[in-house]
Structure formats: structure tokens, C-alpha cells
Amino acid sequence: MADIESRVRDIIVTELGVEPSKVTPEASFVEDLGADSLDTVELVMAFEEEFGIEIPDEDAEKMETVGDAIKYLTEKEGA
Amino acid sequence: MSTEKRRVVITGAGLITAVANDLASNWDALLSGISGTDTITSFDPSRLEVRLAAEVKNFDPADYLDKKEVRRTDRFCQFALVAAAEALRTAGLGESPDVESDRFGVITGSGIGGIGTLEQQHLVYLEKGPDRVSPFFVPMFIADMAPGLISMKYGAKGPNYSTQSACASSAHAIGNAFKLIQRGIADVIISGGTESSVTPLTMAGFASMKALSSRNDEPEKASRPFDANRDGFVLGEGGGLVVLEALEHARARGAPIMAEVVGYGLTADAHHMTAPAPEGEGAQRAMRQALEDGGLQPEDIDYINAHGTSTPFNDLSETQAIKKVFGDHAHELVVSSTKSMTGHTLGAAGGVEGVICTLVVKEGKIPPTINFSEPDPDCDLNYSFNEATERPVELALSNSFGFGGHNVTLAIKRWEE
């Protein structure tokens, strides 16, 4: 579990160019981490690439916080 | 809009080229006659017929831009942002320019745009499929993102666009910006050009045209404009931007004035996709127009920063054109090609050389045309071969000609009250 979380956090730090300390579970991609619409598309693509999965647009739209992403990807990995 | 012509001055300049990464270092290097050309290092050029270029060196965008800006910008836009910051700094406008936002424009030129990004994303498309193409591909690739990004950084909400006319792109940009300020449509415009296209595909394409020098074994000598043994141009990269400003606006804020823009000529050859018209007929008309626009006589010109690409065709036809326009005076004035040092920065060339002409009139020093070894009997002007020339320069012309038959001449004057 911790492994997935750290992989997700690493991707967010790289893709959004933010300080690791800001990437908390409650942090919102748009509100707290300064992501715009292009960043969020690229972020989802990076998750897909890292975990070898497809994330449908309707699922991607629900991923608003770091915690949302970790939970979603943990469930996908477990499936 | 007033129909009265306002005077337009250059109050700031920024420069990044293969010979140096800032204005002052560029000037020193150019006067010393340093070549920026070497074997390509940004990728493995071993498959290419031409393996040399004038690449910008030791450039780490993270030294100038934040991590996020670096990730979402192509190198050509990074050059533009860096040169814009330097131009604003030298103009005394700093990081938060105190200019009325809708009177503050950005007009830059780029011949190609982010072709490095295009090549990389096309590989992604082929190898991983369309779903993996980055959402940043289009915004990073399009040439107009350079003026767009500069406007966002500095709150410049006036005229904003990119000009595209191959190697005349940024000369058109400066000319257009000059006219907009002259006619009262804007007060301050950041203008010039940027290009970064030393990529495998671009190199292969220009090599296929036989446009490039193939002097792979001595790259530093490959760009040799007006020399008998010239064999093509050297692809360069970089950015050259100026702050153009209405004289009254510059005076009101006590700005340092570097030079004045006084003339703009722009014509088409209507002749051939890549070859210049015989005797540089279109270039002749561009130079004449620039003189006329500035109310100048041929005898007024002390220096011409030539397009001078080091191709057999360009240097011959440009020399012929200069002789046609200037007559006997062609042998009195000094002509030099700084592309002998910076390489040919394509769409950035007009901006880079506009900055150089600004320094020439300001400092009274003319950078040389390096790598001369054997005279070409048909190129018989004073090209300041191998050594800089010190002489007062009241008026300089900058020539820029692009594939497609575009010709632009800018006239830049030493600043006097």
C-alpha cells in the first residue's frame, strides 16, 4: 500500500513541479497544487503509464485530491 | 489613432546565442570573433550527413524559470522568456513593468516553433499510441506561444502575435512593432525572435536541400560568409529581443535609450521557393524601402548587418543587391555577417541581429565576419573579415531574407537627443 502511495506522490511532485511536503492526502490538485486543465490530463496519463491501466474520463473527473488518486489507484491495483 | 508618426526607440535588449547566454557576454564574444559552431551535442548526430550546428551552450532553463514553466515550455519559448527578462531589465522595466497594460504588446517571430516537441510527441504517437500524446504538445509546439507566455508573465495586454516568414520572421516582428508604436497603437512592445530547431528532423531536412555546410571535420570554420570556400549555412539557435518604446513614453519614465528604429522595408521576390531572385532584386527593394521609410539617403548608411548566411547563392546575390542600391558608397560602408559566429538562427535571426545593430550604433564597434581565408572575386565589399572594426556608426541596416522569398530591412540609428 505504502508503495502505491509513494509512487503516486512521486508522479504528482514531478508532473506538477510542487514541493513534496505539499502533496498531502487532503491536497486538491487544482486548489492547492496549482494544476490547470492541461496538468490534470497529463497527470492522469502519467498514472495510466505508471500503473499500466486505463482510467476512463468519468473516473478521472472524480479524482480531485491526492487522497482520491491514491484510493482509486490502490483499488485498481488490488483488482 | 493619430496619423502623426511618433519616434520609436530601443530601450532594452536581451540576447542568447551559441556564443554566449546574455547580452554583455555576447557582445564581448562577437567582437572577439568567437565561433559558436561545434559538433552537435543535444542528440547523437552520427546518422546525419551534417553533424555540426551552433547550439546554445550551458543553458539550464531551471536557472531562469520555475520547474513548472520548464516542463510545459519548448526550448524556443525558454529562450524567449530568458531574453525578454533581460530586455526588460536593461530597459529599467524590471519584473513588474509599469506600463499601461493595453498599451503594452509582444510581437515575436519564429520560423518553425517547437519542432523538438513535435518530433518527440510524434515518436510517442508511433510507439505508444494517440492516447499518450501530451496535452502540452500543441501549446508547446505553436510558434505564437512565445509572445503568449511573455504577455502572461508581464501582464502585457496589448497587441500580441507571432510573425512567420522563415528567416525573416523576427525582422518582420520588429518592423511591425515599430509601425504599431509609430502609429500610436501601443507604447511599449517586446519584440524580436526566438528559435530552437537543432533537431534530427530539421537537420536532415536542411541537409537534404544541400543548404548546410558539411564541414564536419572543422565545425568552427563552417560558417564563412562571403569567403570563396563557403559551402552552406550552419544551423544556429537562440533568442534576441528588444524593448521598443515610443520616445515620449521612454522620456517620461527617464528610460535609458540605446538606439532609434527609423526605417522598415518589406518585399517579396515572387521568384522561387528557396533561391533568391537574380541580383537580389527583392532585397534591393527592401533596402530602398527602409531608406525611404526613414527619410535616408544611401550615403547615410555606415554599416549593414548582412543576412550573410554563408550559402553560395545568398552571399553573392546580397552583395550584388548592396552594390545596386548603394553604388560607389557600397565600398565605403562596412558589411558584416555575425552568422559567421552565431550560426543561422532562422526565425530568430532578425531579432538577434537587430540587437547586434543596436549595440553597433551605441558602441561604435562592428563585429567581424570570421573564417575568411580566400577572397571570392564576386564578393568584393568591406566585410570586416576576421577583425572587428571600430568606427562611429550613425546608421545601420539589418537585412533578413527568408525561404519563400521574403525580404526585410530594418534601419537602426544611433541615439541622439
Side-chain angles (χ1 to χ4, degrees), chain B residues 6-7 9 11 93 98-100 103 181 186-188 244-255:
Chain B
R6 305 195 299 174
R7 290 175 76 181
V9 292
T11 53
L93 286 165
D98 183 15
V99 178
E100 194 186 330
R103 306 280 301 164
I181 295 174
D187 292 328
V188 177
L244 294 182
E245 190 163 353
L247 175 61
E248 64 217 50
H249 191 277
R251 276 195 172 134
R253 66 180 187 89

Side-chain angles (χ1 to χ4, degrees), chain B residues 285-296:
Chain B
R285 283 183 291 113
M287 285 187 272
R288 288 204 177 96
Q289 255 188 34
L291 294 175
E292 189 182 339
D293 186 44
L296 307 170

Side-chain angles (χ1 to χ4, degrees), chain B residues 40-53 55 74-75 112 114-123 196-209 212 235 237:
Chain B
I40 290 172
T41 60
S42 58
F43 62 92
D44 174 8
S46 55
R47 290 179 67 195
L48 296 171
E49 181 190 338
V50 175
R51 299 183 288 279
L52 59 99
E55 295 175 290
D74 186 275
R75 188 170 161 95
I112 299 185
I115 193 166
T117 297
L118 173 76
E119 287 179 40
Q120 186 195 28
Q121 289 298 312
H122 188 236
L123 267 182
S196 176
S197 59
V198 182
T199 67
L201 189 62
T202 312
M203 288 297 299
F206 280 123
S208 174
M209 294 173 70
L212 298 176
L235 188 60
E237 60 172 357

Side-chain angles (χ1 to χ4, degrees), chain B residues 12-331:
Chain B
L15 193 56
I16 177 165
T17 75
V19 301
N21 295 356
D22 64 69
L23 185 68
S25 314
N26 261 285
W27 187 234
D28 289 344
L30 293 168
L31 290 175
S32 312
I34 290 171
S35 167
T37 306
D38 208 337
T39 302
I40 290 172
T41 60
S42 58
F43 62 92
D44 174 8
S46 55
R47 290 179 67 195
L48 296 171
E49 181 190 338
V50 175
R51 299 183 288 279
L52 59 99
E55 295 175 290
V56 168
K57 295 158 190 72
N58 306 315
F59 176 75
D60 182 354
D63 291 345
Y64 310 90
L65 308 172
D66 71 37
K67 273 192 267 181
K68 193 163 171 173
E69 279 179 309
V70 172
R71 275 182 48 76
R72 48 168 62 203
T73 49
D74 186 275
R75 188 170 161 95
F76 89 99
C77 279
Q78 294 169 358
F79 291 160
L81 287 166
V82 170
E86 186 176 36
L88 287 168
R89 203 162 55 238
T90 52
L93 286 165
E95 290 176 14
S96 312
D98 183 15
V99 178
E100 194 186 330
S101 62
D102 60 1
R103 306 280 301 164
F104 186 12
V106 188
I107 302 173
T108 65
S110 178
I112 299 185
I115 193 166
T117 297
L118 173 76
E119 287 179 40
Q120 186 195 28
Q121 289 298 312
H122 188 236
L123 267 182
V124 169
Y125 179 97
L126 294 175
E127 289 174 356
K128 297 182 176 173
D131 293 348
R132 285 287 172 273
V133 172
S134 169
F136 290 109
F137 160 49
V138 172
M140 285 171 71
F141 168 64
I142 53 183
D144 52 287
M145 199 51 67
L149 286 167
I150 295 170
S151 75
M152 291 166 220
K153 194 150 195 162
Y154 299 105
K157 296 185 175 179
N160 191 287
Y161 59 92
S162 177
T163 49
Q164 190 170 41
S165 50
C167 309
S169 298
S170 53
H172 272 126
I174 293 174
N176 290 6
F178 162 55
K179 288 293 160 189
L180 290 183
I181 295 174
Q182 194 180 56
R183 293 296 179 180
I185 293 169
D187 292 328
V188 177
I189 299 181
I190 300 169
S191 186
T194 182
E195 199 85 84
S196 176
S197 59
V198 182
T199 67
L201 189 62
T202 312
M203 288 297 299
F206 280 123
S208 174
M209 294 173 70
K210 306 293 176 200
L212 298 176
S213 168
S214 57
R215 205 175 288 264
N216 292 309
D217 49 346
E218 40 182 16
E220 70 285 355
K221 295 187 175 155
S223 186
R224 47 199 315 137
F226 307 107
D227 182 84
N229 299 309
R230 66 189 186 275
D231 69 329
F233 78 84
V234 168
L235 188 60
E237 60 172 357
L241 297 186
V242 290
V243 174
L244 294 182
E245 190 163 353
L247 175 61
E248 64 217 50
H249 191 277
R251 276 195 172 134
R253 66 180 187 89
I257 295 176
M258 301 174 77
E260 181 172 7
V261 182
V262 294
Y264 177 31
L266 60 165
T267 67
D269 281 352
H271 171 68
H272 185 268
M273 285 168 69
T274 57
E279 300 191 306
E281 186 273 337
Q284 290 176 38
R285 283 183 291 113
M287 285 187 272
R288 288 204 177 96
Q289 255 188 34
L291 294 175
E292 189 182 339
D293 186 44
L296 307 170
Q297 297 302 316
E299 296 71 33
D300 296 335
I301 304 301
D302 304 301
Y303 171 62
I304 299 176
N305 186 294
H307 188 54
T309 56
S310 184
T311 64
F313 273 140
N314 175 82
D315 297 358
L316 172 63
S317 69
E318 187 172 10
T319 297
Q320 291 170 332
I322 291 169
K323 288 201 251 185
K324 285 273 184 189
V325 173
F326 292 91
D328 290 343
H329 185 67
H331 297 274

Side-chain angles (χ1 to χ4, degrees), chain B residues 287 304-307 318 322 353 397-401 408-409:
Chain B
M287 285 187 272
I304 299 176
N305 186 294
H307 188 54
E318 187 172 10
I322 291 169
E353 290 155 25
L397 296 185
S398 178
N399 280 342
S400 298
F401 313 136
V408 177
T409 301

